[in-house]
Amino acid sequence: MPLIDSQPQAFAPGTQLRHYKGGLYSVVGHCLIEATLQPGVLYKPLQGDSQDVLWMRPLAEFHDLVSTAEGTVPRFVQLAVPNKKA
């Protein structure tokens, strides 16, 4: 099953993100979710006791909006993009 071109924009490995709850994360790479063949993102925390643990989330969820007491906000905000090597 081919990936659809209308998929959300992927993040380059090394991109730093802030979760709406305040956590800082770094994108490690990309994957396909076996059961659905949807694109996923591998990422790890930049703080706390679990910095050696990788997490996976469907790519589309990185671009979701979530409702909070302060209103609707993005689930993740991009903070830094790694420098591209020539």
Side-chain angles (χ1 to χ4, degrees), residues 4-70:
I4 302 170
D5 288 342
S6 63
Q7 292 293 328
Q9 180 68 33
F11 299 102
T15 299
Q16 292 182 6
L17 306 167
R18 181 184 315 273
H19 189 265
Y20 77 98
K21 292 182 180 177
L24 298 175
Y25 298 90
S26 178
V27 173
V28 175
H30 304 98
C31 62
L32 287 178
I33 301 168
E34 180 184 7
T36 63
L37 296 181
Q38 290 180 305
V41 177
L42 297 170
Y43 63 107
K44 66 179 185 173
L46 294 175
Q47 74 287 321
D49 294 337
S50 299
Q51 292 183 39
D52 58 341
V53 174
L54 292 180
W55 294 84
M56 188 285 303
R57 181 183 293 265
L59 175 59
E61 289 184 17
F62 277 82
H63 300 282
D64 278 350
L65 297 176
V66 293
S67 296
T68 70
E70 291 79 34

